[in-house]
Amino acid sequence: MKKIVVLVSGGGTNLQALMDAADDGIIRGGAITCVISSKPGVYALERAARHKIPTRVIPRKDYADAAAYSKAILQALQEEEADLVVYAGFMTILDEQVVKAFPNRMMNVHPALIPSFCGKGFYGLRVHEAALQKGVKLSGATVHFVTEECDGGPIILQKAVEVHEDDTPETLQKRIMQEAEWKILPQAVALFCEDKLQVQGHKVLITS
Ligand code: GAR
C-alpha cells in the first residue's frame, strides 16, 4: 500500500476529491496517510480530520525563506515515509532539495492547460483572471510531476473545459474544478498507485 501525503493551503476541494475517490475504491494500492498544510485554520484540515486522516501544520510564515521551509517539509515527508506527495492547492514553491528527494513521486494539479497560464505568479484565481483577459475559448486543468521548474514537469493528465462569454474568474474556477481537477487528480493518483505511469524524458506514458 503506497503512502500518499497531500499538501494543502486552503479550502481543500481537491483533497476532498481524493478522499472520496479513495472511499469509492477508485484509488487502489494507495492510502492518504497524512495531510500537511502550509497555513493554520484552513478548511482542508477540517476535511482531513473528518476523514480521520492525521494532519500537520507547517506554517510558511514561520520560516525565513524557501530553503528553510523546504527543509522542514522534507523532514516531515521523510518522517511520514511518503511514497507519493500530492500538491492539492498547495500555494508554496518548494526548492530542489524536496524535488530531488522525490523524483517523479510528487504531483501537482494546476488549474489551466499547461503551458498556458502557468509558472511563478499563476495560482488560484489569478490563473483564471489571466485566461479571461486573454480571451481563450478553452481552459482546463493539468496534473503533472513536480520538477525544479515551476509548473514545468512532465504532464500526466489534462482535461479541457469551455470558457463561457459571461464567465467571471470565480465561475470559471468552479467549472474547471468540477469538470476537470476533481476528476483528473484522483485518476492520476490512481494510475501512480497502480504503477501505470512511466516517465520517459519529458513524456509520461500510461501503461495498461
Ligand atoms: C485549485 O484550483 C488548484 O488547482 C489551484 O488552487 C485551487 C485550490 O483549491 N492550485 C494552484 O493554483 C497551484 N498553482 P482547493 O484548495 O479547493 O483544492
Side-chain angles (χ1 to χ4, degrees), residues 112-132:
L113 294 173
I114 290 174
S116 290
F117 314 116
C118 65
K120 222 167 173 224
F122 286 99
Y123 57 86
L125 277 177
R126 291 181 185 206
V127 177
H128 307 296
E129 279 161 12
L132 290 178

Side-chain angles (χ1 to χ4, degrees), residues 31-42:
I32 303 170
T33 51
C34 182
V35 171
I36 300 176
S37 176
S38 64
K39 278 188 199 158
V42 295

Side-chain angles (χ1 to χ4, degrees), residues 8-15 44 47 88-91 108-111 122-125 127-128 151 173 177 181-182:
V8 299
S9 302
T13 63
N14 279 290
L15 167 67
R47 293 181 192 270
F90 186 61
M91 300 304 189
N108 176 46
V109 59
H110 183 75
F122 286 99
Y123 57 86
L125 277 177
V127 177
H128 307 296
D151 295 331
Q173 178 185 54
M177 283 175 157
E181 295 184 50
W182 301 344

